Amino acid sequence: MADYPIFSFFCTSIVVLSLLRLSTAVDTLTSAQFIKEGETLVSAGRKFELGFFSAGRSKSNFLGIRFVASPDTVVWVANRNNPLTDSNGTLEISNEGELVLLNQSRSVIWSTNSTKVLRNPIVQLLDSGNLVLRESNSLDSVDYSWQSFDYPSDTILVGMTVEWNFKTGLEHYLTSWRSTDDPSPGDYTFRYKIDGLPQLEIISHGSAKVYRTGPWDGVKFGGVSNELNIVVKAIAIYNKTGAYFAFRALKDDITAKVTLSSDGFVHCHLLKSGSMKWDLMALCQSHKKIGTCLIQQRGA
């Protein structure tokens, strides 16, 4: 009996340590937990996962969200401007309630930097692909202090927007990767043009417009083929509170994403349920004349 307290303490210590570091696939991270290389958050329906990755031949590490069914398909990157130079990054919730990415020396290389103070913060990866920082006792989106959907990388998913929020002044736009081996911001941005008639446009090197659609006619943007409307519905809104472009898939067994490539092309990719192969539905890029939209259908 004299050994029982020691045994109890030993078992309790194991339980506490297991709570600190994630060893199984869960969709939430609490302030008592952290993620390191090889560990992930996985959304409840196993559609998306958040974890560390390296792109192509690069030796740098990044924190990103990717499809579980297509692990090479990264849809969001946190530390695009500050890659990890080794595999010793740690993701955790700080004492201030922020989600932070730390390097080996415990320096912050990326942070959510939100303005809302949370009492009991948790991080959750949703089945939409949205990573949210919220109160632990509330699922309401108004209680999010930060969400990845507000800071897109090179890809938008269903539920995301390319937009202008007139109340906050916040703009959501896509920025291409530098290359397939480098997720850092590249040469192209994909934005919703709001001066004049609503249009979508690709801008190169900060100011040069290399492509734009025709104006929105209530159904689609001019110059974009109706062929895309078979499986994807485009949505464009312009009112007093904001202006945004979004889309949704018209078939339940189809996953869709729109990506701005490192060479300035806008791709709409479709993934059928049970498949690991993305199909390329649309491809847009200007050549010498602004307003050209090339519509193709091929494997990608």
Side-chain angles (χ1 to χ4, degrees):
M1 294 295 291
D3 292 335
Y4 180 77
I6 297 176
F7 178 76
S8 177
F9 174 78
F10 179 73
C11 291
T12 302
S13 298
I14 292 176
V15 172
V16 171
L17 288 173
S18 68
L19 290 175
L20 294 176
R21 182 164 179 169
L22 296 178
S23 58
T24 57
V26 295
D27 67 340
T28 57
L29 181 75
T30 71
S31 56
Q33 297 171 313
F34 61 87
I35 292 178
K36 301 199 78 172
E37 181 77 22
E39 300 168 339
T40 60
L41 288 185
V42 181
S43 66
R46 297 194 60 81
K47 293 183 178 180
F48 293 91
E49 66 175 359
L50 170 76
F52 293 94
F53 75 97
S54 58
R57 296 169 293 179
S58 173
K59 295 182 180 179
S60 298
N61 281 337
F62 297 87
L63 176 74
I65 297 172
R66 52 193 175 188
F67 284 96
V68 171
S70 180
D72 292 334
T73 306
V74 178
V75 298
W76 181 80
V77 184
N79 57 319
R80 298 185 74 182
N81 292 307
N82 295 293
L84 289 160
T85 57
D86 53 44
S87 58
N88 293 307
T90 304
L91 181 70
E92 60 186 58
I93 297 175
S94 70
N95 293 333
E96 293 75 30
E98 300 290 349
L99 183 63
V100 295
L101 179 59
L102 309 175
N103 61 16
Q104 187 175 15
S105 61
R106 302 288 295 174
S107 296
V108 176
I109 64 168
W110 175 84
S111 170
T112 50
N113 196 28
S114 59
T115 57
K116 184 182 292 186
V117 178
L118 301 178
R119 293 183 178 180
N120 298 295
I122 67 167
V123 175
Q124 183 175 21
L125 179 60
L126 306 180
D127 266 338
S128 61
N130 194 13
L131 183 69
V132 303
L133 181 61
R134 63 173 177 84
E135 288 284 5
S136 61
N137 60 353
S138 175
L139 296 175
D140 197 325
S141 60
V142 299
D143 291 324
Y144 297 167
S145 68
W146 178 91
Q147 58 179 340
S148 61
F149 272 16
D150 285 339
Y151 303 92
S153 296
D154 68 331
T155 298
I156 58 170
L157 306 168
V158 172
M160 296 182 72
T161 58
V162 174
E163 78 165 273
W164 279 96
N165 186 316
F166 297 153
K167 289 185 175 180
T168 64
L170 185 66
E171 182 189 8
H172 299 178
Y173 61 92
L174 302 185
T175 305
S176 65
W177 283 25
R178 177 65 56 187
S179 71
T180 55
D181 297 325
D182 185 359
S184 64
D187 294 330
Y188 298 93
T189 58
F190 183 52
R191 308 175 109 103
Y192 194 17
K193 174 182 174 291
I194 58 174
D195 53 327
L197 295 174
Q199 296 177 328
L200 296 171
E201 61 185 15
I202 300 172
I203 300 175
S204 173
H205 302 293
S207 60
K209 297 176 182 179
V210 298
Y211 165 81
R212 69 167 176 258
T213 66
W216 177 255
D217 64 8
V219 178
K220 63 180 180 63
F221 289 98
V224 178
S225 170
N226 283 321
E227 181 183 18
L228 194 60
N229 293 340
I230 298 173
V231 288
V232 174
K233 178 179 176 60
I235 303 165
I237 300 295
Y238 196 122
N239 55 36
K240 293 181 179 180
T241 61
Y244 69 84
F245 161 74
F247 70 94
R248 65 181 177 88
L250 298 178
K251 297 182 179 181
D252 293 338
D253 62 341
I254 293 291
T255 297
K257 68 182 182 75
V258 172
T259 300
L260 175 62
S261 69
S262 58
D263 53 0
F265 283 69
V266 176
H267 302 253
C268 179
H269 286 104
L270 307 174
L271 182 67
K272 294 181 181 179
S273 180
S275 175
M276 294 182 64
K277 178 185 177 183
W278 290 91
D279 291 320
L280 179 62
M281 187 66 187
L283 180 153
C284 298
Q285 187 200 39
S286 74
H287 284 263
K288 293 184 179 179
K289 181 179 179 181
I290 290 178
T292 302
C293 185
L294 308 175
I295 302 298
Q296 299 182 2
Q297 191 163 5
R298 67 183 186 188

